[in-house]
Amino acid sequence: MKRIHGSIAHDLGVDIVTGIYKPGDTLPGEIEFSEQLDVSRTAYREAVRILSAKGLVESRPRTGTRVTEKERWNLLDPDVLAWMFEGEPSVEFIRDLFELRMIIEPSAAELAAVRRSGADLARMGHALEEMARHGLATEAGREADQLFHHAILEASRNAPLMTLSSTISAAVSWTTIFKQRKRKLPRDPVADHRVLYEAIGNSDPVAARAAMVDLVRLAQEDTELAL
């Protein structure tokens, strides 16, 4: 059951964020949908609950389930981010993501340089070595990249900031996949990550902030080459 309603939520979510269903459109009713796809009405209802929790739809008696306005979508949700990148995200959306990263990550790096522990640094170092070993063209390398950025947010010791880790990790991963869809990565960003790692390891908040600014800026430039 869990896999079925998750799959339904995924398919409907992709259709919504890529514009097949537009804000104001009514989704098929549960009877029609369940008969059409030969799934239970319960599975469909659970899928709609998932989409509703992410702000993509709202259900009302008599009017059915409608797609909400984009302003209500939870774009920080990792699933919603993934669904956006299953289509062709707009230039504006990608730039917004990098703008968000530029607001959050340099400050997190600055805090991490002051507050990090030896264990934090060890996690960053291990992730960095895995990135270098596998490369960002591989799933293992991208996972290591996510872990590196996650470790920095954790090292900030700022609880609200740490809750954004899954969003930042998803943004890092999906933009990395996006920029190598049609060609190889234009350059290897491991060296940029190493400069950042060394600044945090040296407990230098000014250098850590500057290194993260450079890292995000260069990542954005690489991604825009793919547009």
Side-chain angles (χ1 to χ4, degrees):
M1 172 65 72
K2 184 175 182 181
R3 281 197 293 270
I4 293 172
H5 72 245
S7 177
I8 295 168
H10 167 273
D11 293 346
L12 287 174
V14 170
D15 286 349
I16 290 169
V17 302
T18 58
I20 293 175
Y21 290 116
K22 294 179 170 47
D25 286 352
T26 302
L27 297 185
E30 64 180 55
I31 297 174
E32 175 190 351
F33 191 94
S34 59
E35 289 178 351
Q36 196 176 48
L37 294 187
D38 193 25
V39 297
S40 72
R41 292 167 63 179
T42 301
Y44 179 74
R45 284 196 298 270
E46 288 299 318
V48 168
R49 286 193 187 101
I50 291 171
L51 297 177
S52 180
K54 298 177 189 300
L56 300 182
V57 301
E58 62 178 1
S59 298
R60 293 181 179 176
R62 298 180 185 160
T63 61
T65 301
R66 292 183 181 273
V67 178
T68 58
E69 296 300 316
K70 289 183 180 180
E71 291 76 13
R72 296 177 58 184
W73 298 357
N74 183 4
L75 297 177
L76 296 182
D77 184 287
D79 287 336
V80 177
L81 277 178
W83 298 341
M84 295 285 285
F85 278 93
E86 288 203 28
E88 185 73 16
S90 67
V91 175
E92 291 76 19
F93 178 70
I94 289 176
R95 287 177 178 164
D96 284 349
L97 273 184
F98 278 105
E99 194 170 78
L100 175 69
R101 289 187 60 190
M102 193 64 87
I103 291 168
I104 293 170
E105 292 193 274
S107 294
E110 187 175 23
L111 291 172
V114 176
R115 300 174 179 175
R116 59 87 180 163
S117 66
D120 294 321
L121 204 60
R123 280 191 290 272
M124 292 176 213
H126 176 71
L128 186 59
E129 294 312 310
E130 289 296 289
M131 283 174 61
R133 185 158 72 95
H134 295 288
L136 293 182
T138 69
E139 186 175 346
R142 291 190 295 271
E143 184 176 334
D145 191 14
Q146 288 180 292
L147 290 173
F148 181 83
H149 288 268
H150 173 74
I152 291 173
L153 286 171
E154 281 207 326
S156 74
R157 299 292 183 270
N158 180 296
L161 193 57
M162 289 159 63
T163 64
L164 295 173
S165 178
S166 60
T167 298
I168 295 299
S169 293
V172 168
S173 178
W174 285 109
T175 50
T176 301
I177 291 170
F178 179 81
K179 65 190 174 188
Q180 56 186 321
R181 295 174 311 160
K182 298 175 182 176
R183 59 179 178 178
K184 292 181 179 179
L185 288 169
R187 60 187 186 82
D188 184 357
V190 170
D192 306 324
H193 288 72
R194 201 174 296 281
V195 170
L196 173 58
Y197 170 74
E198 289 173 357
I200 293 173
N202 291 332
S203 300
D204 187 336
V206 174
R209 171 179 277 276
M212 183 65 90
V213 167
D214 284 344
L215 191 155
V216 175
R217 177 181 56 79
L218 289 168
Q220 180 172 358
E221 289 175 3
D222 291 346
T223 303
E224 292 195 357
L225 287 174
L227 293 171

